[in-house]
Amino acid sequence: MITRKVTRKWEKLPGKNTFCCDGRVMMGRQKGVFYLTLFLIVGTCSLFFAFECPYLAVHLSPAIPVFAVLLFVFVMAMLLRTSFSDPGVLPRALPEEANFIEMEIEAANGNVMAGQRPPPRIKNVQINNQIVKLKYCYTCKIFRPPRASHCSICDNCVDRFDHHCPWVGNCVGKRNYRYFYLFTLSLSLLTIYIFAFNIVHVVLREYRNIFEHVVSLTPHCTVLEVLVCFFTLWSVVGLTGFHTYLISLNQTTNEDIKGSWSGKNRVQNPYSHKSIIKNCCEVLCSPTYPSVLDRRGVMLEDLSSPTPSDASAASTHQSSNPVSQTTKSSAPLIPNEHTPDEAKPGIGSGTQKSTSSPKEEKPPSPTSPNAVAPAVIKESSH
Amino acid sequence: KETEFMIRSECSLRHSASLANKVFIQRDYTDGTVCKFQTKFPSELESRIERTLFEDTVKTLNNYYAEAEKIGGQSYLEGCLACLTIYLIFLCIETRYEKVLKKISRYIQEQNEKVYAPRGLLITDPIERGMRVIEISVYEDRGSSGSSSGSSTTSSSGR
């Protein structure tokens, strides 16, 4: 009896995420800065525990290193939780759903004359008596829910997209925003704590040495820690303050940067409860949302291509008639002003796909099987 | 378990019927980003199922999701407890949302068995479609003549 290796769904997910531990861990593509973050935090704390804590525990209080350990564990837990969890990725539309949406758009737009640009794909919805525009994502083939945005680094639409943080190596979205906030908050506290006790340590040593006439060698580590903490303080504390401000207004970094809710002619934020406490409660105390990706689900052979006749018909139809249809498939071919950064599939999309797929195969990440994924998924991934 | 049921239902339907069409019930964003689906009755299902049955199903689903996403005493307690245990508690217990999702999948299974499969329809749990749509597969008897294309959807005014 031949035992077949079970294929789990994370192996076939489109997008540029890295997966570890058989799909339990999900990160962004570039991890270099994340390793730097880990190194800085672990390194600085190790120096603190090795060189400062013995002195401080003896001369001041043993509670100091204990509290530092608790804070350090909390910071690391929040960092790993932010980095390794699914930020709220929205799965791409399966072909039937994508076709359904395309047909609705066609019906709404009516006939477009040849040579004329089709209107931008926008849906207006009314949220709390304000009009909000939902944009169509050409990569994921869906109308993005409100507050969702497409991350070009991870190549996914993320719900309540805040920003892609290279320091944690992942997007920050609906599911991991509170962990990210707690990480910056606790890291600020840890940095201030270490910085303060370094100063205390130096002062104590110098003070003692004046009376004891002992030549002291302030360890170089202390100086190093002070430097690291000093520079970290400004950035991390500033970031924590910025996110506290955003939370109190129930805004995301993305909305703040784009100025979605500021300005005279703009819509006021329809998601804000107009009360700081309510906004904080919603962002920090709302229920933990589950991941909709089902990374560890087992791929079933007969469900991976549910309607083979439809799928193959769709793929051959799209590949053989890229230009002839003016509305159905050429609408995505023409980038409009609302999709500057998204994939600009053109007539050469076929060649683009073939050149990009070898690149995707090079990194050892398990997303490389995309190149041999069923045609259904490959079509919808670009 | 849910997917096994879907396979069995699909297989049993396929023996006597073929997949004709899929109808997608979209999200209703009028109350914000909470998970809620439109109760507008799609024209493709007019001949297949009674409007009230369909609306009941969607309204019940909406109520379940509202219950899952409710911000109140229980969600605060869960959040604080989880934070204090640095979220390790979720290795042992299920979140409230996950419990409600299980209830939802049981409800959908029951609805499929009792109401939709006898009418040649099958509801897919929204979680399998990223909580974006409720996918309803429409099956036609193999003996019947050509299936409706379903492309003549009039754009809804709710958008």
Side-chain angles (χ1 to χ4, degrees):
Chain A
M1 194 166 155
I2 303 164
T3 48
R4 235 174 6 161
K5 182 182 167 294
V6 160
T7 310
R8 295 206 185 258
K9 287 184 186 171
W10 61 264
E11 297 177 56
K12 300 280 188 239
L13 279 176
K16 295 180 185 157
N17 291 99
T18 320
F19 296 90
C20 305
C21 301
D22 199 20
R24 289 181 182 91
V25 164
M26 177 173 174
M27 289 184 73
R29 195 176 27 155
Q30 296 146 348
K31 299 189 286 290
V33 188
F34 169 67
Y35 293 137
L36 177 68
T37 309
L38 273 179
F39 173 74
L40 283 173
I41 297 176
V42 173
T44 313
C45 290
S46 311
L47 291 177
F48 182 72
F49 291 132
F51 293 102
E52 322 284 324
C53 282
Y55 188 89
L56 290 168
V58 165
H59 289 95
L60 273 184
S61 161
I64 294 171
V66 168
F67 190 70
V69 167
L70 290 174
L71 207 47
F72 170 71
V73 167
F74 190 78
V75 167
M76 290 305 294
M78 291 302 109
L79 171 63
L80 295 178
R81 185 104 193 177
T82 311
S83 303
F84 293 166
S85 59
D86 171 9
V89 171
L90 296 168
R92 298 184 187 195
L94 294 177
E96 294 104 356
E97 193 188 335
N99 287 337
F100 183 83
I101 296 175
E102 289 269 359
M103 289 196 290
E104 279 192 338
I105 294 171
E106 256 180 70
N109 287 344
N111 281 326
V112 179
M113 305 296 289
Q116 207 179 49
R117 233 162 91 163
R121 296 181 165 195
I122 302 263
K123 229 196 240 188
N124 285 324
V125 295
Q126 201 179 46
I127 298 177
N128 290 332
N129 299 319
Q130 316 248 23
I131 302 286
V132 173
K133 292 181 191 297
L134 301 187
K135 290 188 193 169
Y136 181 77
C137 180
Y138 287 96
T139 314
C140 304
K141 303 248 172 36
I142 56 170
F143 275 99
R144 285 189 211 123
R147 314 195 90 174
S149 188
H150 191 94
C151 174
S152 47
I153 301 173
C154 301
D155 203 25
N156 288 317
C157 271
V158 177
D159 206 355
R160 203 187 185 277
F161 180 72
D162 196 84
H163 66 287
H164 181 99
C165 186
W167 299 96
V168 303
N170 201 1
C171 285
V172 177
K174 181 165 85 166
R175 292 191 75 242
N176 63 355
Y177 183 66
R178 83 194 62 186
Y179 311 131
F180 174 75
Y181 180 70
L182 290 173
F183 166 63
T184 55
L185 186 63
S186 54
L187 185 61
S188 307
L189 291 173
L190 184 65
T191 313
I192 293 171
Y193 193 85
I194 293 183
F195 188 72
F197 281 105
N198 277 339
I199 305 290
V200 166
H201 180 211
V202 169
V203 164
L204 277 183
R205 273 198 192 253
E206 295 304 312
Y207 185 71
R208 280 180 164 269
N209 291 334
I210 289 168
F211 285 95
E212 291 168 10
H213 302 287
V214 173
V215 175
S216 82
L217 289 166
T218 310
H220 296 298
C221 321
T222 314
V223 174
L224 186 65
E225 286 167 54
V226 167
L227 273 175
V228 171
C229 289
F230 184 75
F231 288 113
T232 312
L233 256 180
W234 294 112
S235 46
V236 176
V237 170
L239 192 65
T240 310
F242 175 61
H243 279 282
T244 311
Y245 162 76
L246 287 180
I247 288 175
S248 66
L249 293 177
N250 202 338
Q251 272 192 29
T252 63
T253 309
N254 196 35
E255 288 162 357
D256 188 70
I257 288 176
K258 286 184 183 168
S260 308
W261 317 124
S262 60
K264 290 174 205 169
N265 298 327
R266 301 272 198 157
V267 175
Q268 294 304 303
N269 188 358
Y271 314 107
S272 170
H273 297 281
K274 314 286 183 219
S275 150
I276 292 179
I277 296 178
K278 278 191 186 168
N279 285 338
C280 292
C281 286
E282 193 198 295
V283 177
L284 299 175
C285 303
S286 58
T288 321
Y289 295 98
S291 169
V292 296
L293 277 187
D294 190 22
R295 305 189 291 276
R296 294 193 30 88
V298 176
M299 288 283 299
L300 297 161
E301 293 306 313
D302 50 349
L303 275 186
S304 62
S305 50
T307 50
S309 54
D310 288 354
S312 56
S315 55
T316 50
H317 184 65
Q318 282 175 12
S319 58
S320 61
N321 302 324
V323 195
S324 56
Q325 301 194 348
T326 50
T327 53
K328 192 160 188 177
S329 54
S330 68
L333 296 179
I334 303 169
N336 55 34
E337 66 268 6
H338 293 276
T339 57
D341 297 322
E342 279 153 328
K344 294 183 172 65
I347 298 163
S349 66
T351 52
Q352 274 181 15
K353 263 187 267 189
S354 57
T355 48
S356 64
S357 54
K359 278 185 205 163
E360 283 177 334
E361 280 178 330
K362 272 178 196 164
S365 69
T367 52
S368 55
N370 275 348
V372 297
V376 167
I377 296 172
K378 196 172 183 186
E379 286 292 339
S380 62
S381 69
H382 196 64
Chain B
K1 209 177 174 184
E2 163 73 18
T3 39
E4 277 173 33
F5 169 77
M6 293 291 292
I7 299 168
R8 271 189 272 119
S9 308
E10 265 193 80
C11 287
S12 60
L13 277 167
R14 271 189 197 172
H15 285 309
S16 58
S18 60
L19 180 64
N21 197 8
K22 285 195 183 186
V23 183
F24 296 93
I25 312 299
Q26 305 285 338
R27 284 269 294 266
D28 176 10
Y29 293 116
T30 49
D31 288 337
T33 49
V34 291
C35 186
K36 195 176 168 191
F37 291 96
Q38 291 180 3
T39 48
K40 188 176 92 65
F41 189 58
S43 49
E44 294 92 340
L45 297 180
E46 254 163 37
S47 55
R48 305 300 296 253
I49 190 167
E50 294 83 352
R51 178 188 287 259
T52 46
L53 285 172
F54 168 81
E55 282 179 1
D56 277 343
T57 310
V58 180
K59 281 185 185 158
T60 313
L61 285 175
N62 286 341
N63 287 338
Y64 273 125
Y65 285 118
E67 180 197 328
E69 296 194 10
K70 198 164 75 105
I71 302 173
Q74 203 182 348
S75 71
Y76 294 152
L77 195 63
E78 197 183 62
C80 289
L81 190 65
C83 187
L84 288 172
T85 60
I86 54 172
Y87 298 94
L88 291 174
I89 200 161
F90 290 141
L91 295 170
C92 314
I93 65 168
E94 262 186 337
T95 66
R96 192 166 67 132
Y97 212 113
E98 282 167 356
K99 287 187 192 145
V100 177
L101 284 178
K102 284 197 173 160
K103 274 202 254 180
I104 288 172
S105 97
R106 278 198 299 269
Y107 173 74
I108 289 181
Q109 204 167 327
E110 177 210 323
Q111 285 283 292
N112 272 333
E113 275 169 17
K114 291 186 186 159
V115 178
Y116 288 83
R119 290 169 171 80
L121 301 169
L122 204 65
I123 301 183
T124 308
D125 196 334
I127 191 103
E128 307 209 5
R129 297 290 177 261
M131 309 269 265
R132 276 197 315 268
V133 287
I134 303 176
E135 183 184 295
I136 302 182
S137 311
V138 181
Y139 288 89
E140 296 271 352
D141 286 332
R142 280 193 199 276
S144 69
S145 55
S147 48
S148 57
S149 61
S151 59
S152 55
T153 316
T154 50
S155 57
S156 58
S157 56
R159 310 267 159 92

